[in-house]
Amino acid sequence: MNKNILLMADVVSNEKGVDKETIFAALEAALSSATKERYGDESDVRVSIDQNTGDYESYRRWTVLEDDSEDFEFPERQIKLSYARKDYPDIEPGEVIEQKIDSIDFGRIGAQRAKQVIVQKVREAERAQVVEAYKHRIGELLTGLIKRLERGAVIVDLGGSAEAIIPREHMIPREPARPGDRIRGYLYDVGPQVRGPQLFMSRTLPQFLMELFKLEVPEIAQGLIELKGAARDPGLRAKIAVQAKDKRIDPVGACVGMRGSRVQSVSNELAGERVDIVPWDENPAQFVINAMSPAEVENVVIDEDAHSMSIGVAEDKLAQAIGRGGQNVRLASELTGWTLNVMTTGDLESKKDEENRGILDIFMQELDVDAELAGVLVDEGFTSLEEVAYVPTEELLKIEEFDESIVEELRNRARDVLLTKAIAKAERAASVKPADDLLAINGMDEETAYLLAEAGIITAENLADLATDELLETVQLDENRAQALIMAARQKLYA
């Protein structure tokens, strides 16, 4: 029967493409499992196969433990040190005693048991080979045939023994998928799993859209055009930002292709998803204007602290700018990384006037000046005490209404106020400190974070649990800013 062992190892190794070491390990495990039935399932049995002759030997094993060890629970495979030293005087705790026993006949092993153990080992080896083959291909597009559907997820046969899964949430909604269809996806993760596929593909990630454009547009592959980012509402609409490295190249035209052929090919792969190609711009405001296409933006107000922009459009274009269900502004926000608030130009002007009145009040109160002088600062674009205190003197002297004495006095007053606030802030920091996750919230600044911490809102979770009116009752903030900070906290915790 020894020749049968060698023959089985050869057949399985050739059919499955698994090395013989793995096959022999599986056979030894099968023989050990069968041998345990003779000596008790709790016993420890080792079987060693000679890979040249097919002969094998069996050993029963006991692990040596200290006499007072609390781990001594299984006398079938454990032995106390005092008993072990009767036959092995030099043995130490932790070592193993082996006793040769009669080997069972290979032909008597239950065929099903041997098959199960061997198949399990072979599958484990195959999965390890798949992980090794694909772990360096994360970020690539893969193509295969749909093998089967499992509760909305799609199992894809990539050839050989490799299978991938496209989870339900990574399939484009309402996209038909039938066994035997060819399908393409973006490989976003590779990981060992107990069973089933361990390659994870997506058809909904923005990276899938970007990789499709790399295939369709040679200028991208050649490095003449760079993809700066993408945002998607899978199956419905997407926006992708592009930049030309060579000024002679029109990046939008190159991605659209002759008569729209290139973008149409991408759209067809995405179940008809409409794709807006947006020119990237280093100026954030201009980039946002481009991203809001096809809506025409008339005015933009930037709030650097909150990392947001208020966008003004004509009243008859408001619905187009927002998009169905807020789709257009949401995608533009995801693409640019800015929080965008869309309103009519009239509402934006009213909001800007209200903000200017707030800045005017701050200048009048903090700098102790009249409305006329504070109005000059506002009209010249000054929005904070820091700007008044630290912009070059020459900038302030360019203002027609100011002379050197006024400029010097304004700068000194602004610096005194800022110094007083800094001292107060240091004192607050010594008594109460906001958590790191509160400081890391998008749009949060240190002054606001310490203000919140003083009111007992120390962590991002504390902030996320509040409603806007509750926060406004606790600290003095602009309502829109309060709402934006709460939403940013929730996004950070629950996204």
Side-chain angles (χ1 to χ4, degrees), residues 8 26-38 41 104 106 108-121:
M8 178 180 289
L27 287 169
E28 288 174 348
L31 286 165
S32 297
S33 178
T35 305
K36 282 182 181 181
E37 292 186 355
R38 178 184 296 179
D41 288 339
I104 65 170
F106 182 70
R108 292 172 53 199
I109 298 176
Q112 191 62 30
R113 179 192 295 269
K115 179 180 179 182
Q116 288 175 350
V117 175
I118 293 171
V119 167
Q120 179 183 353
K121 292 290 184 180

Side-chain angles (χ1 to χ4, degrees), residues 80-144:
K80 292 185 177 182
L81 179 61
S82 58
Y83 288 100
R85 282 185 171 171
K86 291 179 180 180
D87 296 318
Y88 305 93
D90 298 329
I91 202 162
E92 296 293 336
E95 295 182 356
V96 176
I97 295 174
E98 287 193 340
Q99 179 181 342
K100 190 173 181 180
I101 57 178
D102 292 336
S103 298
I104 65 170
D105 186 9
F106 182 70
R108 292 172 53 199
I109 298 176
Q112 191 62 30
R113 179 192 295 269
K115 179 180 179 182
Q116 288 175 350
V117 175
I118 293 171
V119 167
Q120 179 183 353
K121 292 290 184 180
V122 168
R123 284 178 178 171
E124 290 175 358
E126 288 176 342
R127 291 193 185 107
Q129 288 178 342
V130 170
V131 170
E132 186 65 28
Y134 283 89
K135 67 181 181 180
H136 302 298
R137 299 185 63 183
I138 293 177
E140 294 184 13
L141 294 183
L142 301 180
T143 302

Side-chain angles (χ1 to χ4, degrees), residues 311-380:
I311 298 171
V313 298
E315 189 167 356
D316 60 342
K317 300 292 184 182
L318 183 61
Q320 182 188 40
I322 295 174
R324 182 179 300 176
Q327 183 187 69
N328 190 58
V329 67
R330 184 177 69 253
L331 291 176
S333 179
E334 291 178 12
L335 182 65
T336 61
W338 286 77
T339 301
L340 305 180
N341 305 307
V342 179
M343 60 192 73
T344 65
T345 302
D347 290 341
L348 182 59
E349 291 297 331
S350 298
K351 180 182 179 182
K352 188 175 180 180
D353 290 342
E354 183 180 345
E355 292 176 350
N356 286 343
R357 284 195 297 271
I359 297 171
L360 184 74
D361 292 340
I362 291 174
F363 285 160
M364 291 175 62
Q365 181 180 349
E366 301 284 3
L367 297 177
D368 192 21
V369 297
D370 57 25
E372 182 179 356
L373 197 151
V376 173
L377 289 172
V378 172
D379 291 342
E380 292 294 330

Side-chain angles (χ1 to χ4, degrees), residues 17-29:
V18 179
D19 63 271
K20 287 187 179 181
E21 291 291 339
T22 301
I23 304 300
F24 278 111
L27 287 169
E28 288 174 348

Side-chain angles (χ1 to χ4, degrees), residues 415-425:
R415 288 173 178 174
D416 288 343
V417 172
L418 292 173
L419 179 60
T420 302
K421 288 186 175 182
I423 294 173
K425 178 181 175 182

Side-chain angles (χ1 to χ4, degrees), residues 44-46 59-65 77-79 84 88 91-99:
D44 183 8
V45 175
R46 180 177 72 87
Y59 301 87
R60 187 169 179 183
R61 295 156 53 90
W62 290 267
T63 301
V64 179
L65 300 178
R77 62 173 182 268
Q78 296 172 335
I79 187 171
Y88 305 93
I91 202 162
E92 296 293 336
E95 295 182 356
V96 176
I97 295 174
E98 287 193 340
Q99 179 181 342

